[in-house]
Amino acid sequence: MIDYQEIILNNGLQVLIHEDHSSPQAVVNMLYNVGSKDEETTKTGFAHLFEHLMFGGSVNIPSYDTPLQKVGGENNAFTTPDITNYYLTLPSSNLETAFWLESDRMLGLSFDPQVLEVQRKVVIEEFKQRYLNQPFGDAWLKLRPLAYKRHPYQWATIGKDISHIEKASMDDVKDFFRKYYHPGNAVMVVAGDVTPSNVQELCEKWFTGIPKGPDNHRILTPEPKQQEARLLELSSDMQVSAFYQVFHIPARYQPEYYQADLVSDILGRGKSSRLYQKLVKEQPLFSSISAHVTGSLDPGLLVVQGKLVDGISCETGHKAVRQVMDSFLAACIDDKELDKVKNQAESSLVFSEINLLNRAMSLAVAAAAGNADYANQEPEIIRSITARQIMNMAHEILREENSSTLYYHKKSA
């Protein structure tokens, strides 16, 4: 259970306060409710670009990192299709430094053309290194538009095409900032060795003067129910072939999502899972195979991916995966397997909450989804899931007509 108090400022900033006086540390997590799904189809990659630009200096502070490091703090950020999240940790005695830094860059970036050019080059290089020059790095650049035909999950957070970032103008950047980077579109979690009265005082001092900004009502095109199996075949210079298959599942925080998550655990979480036992240990067709869910705030995907043993074709691997799934669907799981996957899932949540930063992030993401208490409801939802619910969900999602498959063939010598 993550205890918290909530403050809503007049400008719309939602502030959640989680007290933990076990150490003299504090966390400030600032989540902006904007991800790659909010981008225009011809201007993708902007949410991720802003993850970089927000460290490039603000109106009054030319270097974000320098003053934070001077007071013993550290920071980082990440972008997803749903959100952009900035977080920092520092000694609680220096908490006001975090409020100063976060409020100043929310108030306004420096919009230095040199910073834009530097970060543009950084993002372009990241695109090349992580997606184009890594083994199978472009798999998700291919899988997303295969699985999503209408919803903007069809492109990765890095962007649909790197030319969109190459062509980004300063006016484009300013428009994006004004639309999304303001108090009315943010959730701030302050956690650790703090008190609500001190946090409220700092909020009033540093954030109340920042304008609310425009109301952002998402109108996203929902993904139609998939009615046919899709297949894409590619070739690679890698030494092995790779197999990817994704199935549409419910959105994060819906009760059915947790059922789908347990389905993925049964199939491919760890070495005791069905796919690993059958296709790595018993009949070694794959050198590695796993399954997971994307956990996105709109309907996401259950993902099966694996590397095939040399000489085994993608078609053979696909057939074997299907056989494991069909065997799973043919009979209800027993109590032992049900307890195992539920205990694994609940343990992961409990252990993640040992970390103060993880607790802050969990509250922020849940609040962005509409209810901070979602973060506290997950264990009970998992405990309540029955074997029959899991099997019903498995039959609903593990249909070939609900799947998109990528064969990454090893090129013949």
Side-chain angles (χ1 to χ4, degrees), residues 181-222:
Y181 278 74
H182 56 79
N185 199 49
V187 177
M188 182 168 72
V189 179
V190 185
D193 186 28
V194 302
T195 63
S197 60
N198 187 33
V199 171
Q200 181 151 8
E201 179 183 336
L202 291 172
C203 284
E204 291 173 355
K205 178 179 179 179
W206 291 104
F207 285 98
T208 53
I210 303 175
K212 179 179 180 179
D215 291 332
N216 293 319
H217 300 294
R218 284 188 174 114
I219 305 176
L220 302 178
T221 304

Side-chain angles (χ1 to χ4, degrees), residues 249-261 296-300 369 374 378 381 385 393:
I249 64 169
R252 177 79 185 269
Y253 299 120
Q254 290 185 1
E256 296 81 8
Y257 163 81
Y258 300 94
Q259 299 166 19
D261 193 14
S296 43
L297 298 185
D298 289 335
Y374 286 153
E378 292 182 306
I381 293 173
I385 293 173
M393 179 55 58

Side-chain angles (χ1 to χ4, degrees), residues 26-32 50-77 85-90 94-110 115 119 177 181 188-189 207 357:
V27 166
V28 175
N29 189 99
M30 183 68 77
L31 180 152
Y32 289 93
F50 257 87
E51 177 195 323
H52 291 262
L53 290 176
M54 286 289 279
F55 293 100
S58 54
V59 172
N60 301 300
I61 306 169
S63 170
Y64 180 93
D65 289 337
T66 301
L68 182 62
Q69 291 168 355
K70 284 182 177 179
V71 297
E74 56 185 25
N75 68 89
N76 214 326
N85 196 60
Y86 303 86
Y87 55 93
L88 62 85
T89 59
L90 79 176
N94 296 321
L95 179 63
E96 188 164 9
T97 299
F99 278 72
W100 170 54
L101 290 168
E102 290 300 329
S103 64
D104 202 66
R105 65 178 178 176
M106 180 187 283
L107 180 65
L109 292 183
S110 64
V115 171
Q119 297 306 327
F177 180 83
Y181 278 74
M188 182 168 72
V189 179
F207 285 98
L357 178 58

Side-chain angles (χ1 to χ4, degrees), residues 128-332:
K128 292 176 180 177
Q129 288 187 357
R130 292 183 57 189
Y131 294 87
L132 302 183
N133 298 331
Q134 286 284 336
F136 311 112
D138 64 345
W140 277 101
L141 299 181
K142 308 295 185 182
L143 267 171
R144 282 189 173 277
L146 186 65
Y148 291 100
K149 299 302 182 183
R150 299 186 66 184
H151 191 283
Y153 282 164
Q154 65 188 260
W155 56 82
T157 54
I158 197 73
K160 183 188 297 187
D161 193 302
I162 200 59
S163 66
H164 295 177
I165 297 303
E166 291 173 336
K167 297 175 182 177
S169 69
M170 183 60 76
D171 285 341
D172 292 332
V173 168
K174 288 180 178 180
D175 288 345
F176 194 89
F177 180 83
R178 290 169 184 144
K179 184 174 183 179
Y180 296 112
Y181 278 74
H182 56 79
N185 199 49
V187 177
M188 182 168 72
V189 179
V190 185
D193 186 28
V194 302
T195 63
S197 60
N198 187 33
V199 171
Q200 181 151 8
E201 179 183 336
L202 291 172
C203 284
E204 291 173 355
K205 178 179 179 179
W206 291 104
F207 285 98
T208 53
I210 303 175
K212 179 179 180 179
D215 291 332
N216 293 319
H217 300 294
R218 284 188 174 114
I219 305 176
L220 302 178
T221 304
E223 186 65 22
K225 186 172 183 179
Q226 187 171 333
Q227 302 289 359
E228 77 293 325
R230 300 167 186 160
L231 174 65
L232 176 64
E233 300 187 62
L234 301 173
S235 295
S236 164
D237 291 328
M238 297 302 107
Q239 297 300 308
V240 297
S241 297
F243 170 84
Y244 299 82
Q245 188 171 39
V246 298
F247 301 83
H248 292 279
I249 64 169
R252 177 79 185 269
Y253 299 120
Q254 290 185 1
E256 296 81 8
Y257 163 81
Y258 300 94
Q259 299 166 19
D261 193 14
L262 291 183
V263 171
S264 76
D265 288 349
I266 291 167
L267 287 175
R269 178 173 178 167
K271 295 184 178 181
S272 64
S273 65
R274 295 194 179 204
L275 286 169
Y276 190 93
Q277 285 291 312
K278 291 291 185 182
L279 306 183
V280 176
K281 294 195 70 176
E282 293 182 17
Q283 46 173 331
L285 302 178
F286 287 81
S287 59
S288 64
I289 191 166
S290 63
H292 67 276
V293 294
T294 56
S296 43
L297 298 185
D298 289 335
L301 300 171
L302 185 154
V303 183
V304 176
Q305 63 185 70
K307 303 295 188 301
L308 291 141
V309 170
D310 191 24
I312 303 298
S313 69
C314 290
E315 292 84 356
T316 298
H318 188 175
K319 182 179 179 181
V321 168
R322 188 68 245 175
Q323 288 174 341
V324 172
M325 290 181 179
D326 287 343
S327 176
F328 169 43
L329 294 173
C332 192

Side-chain angles (χ1 to χ4, degrees), residues 265 269 342-353 358:
D265 288 349
R269 178 173 178 167
K342 288 169 69 172
N343 288 338
Q344 283 178 333
E346 189 174 353
S347 295
S348 294
L349 289 173
V350 171
F351 283 121
S352 72
E353 291 180 3
N358 285 348

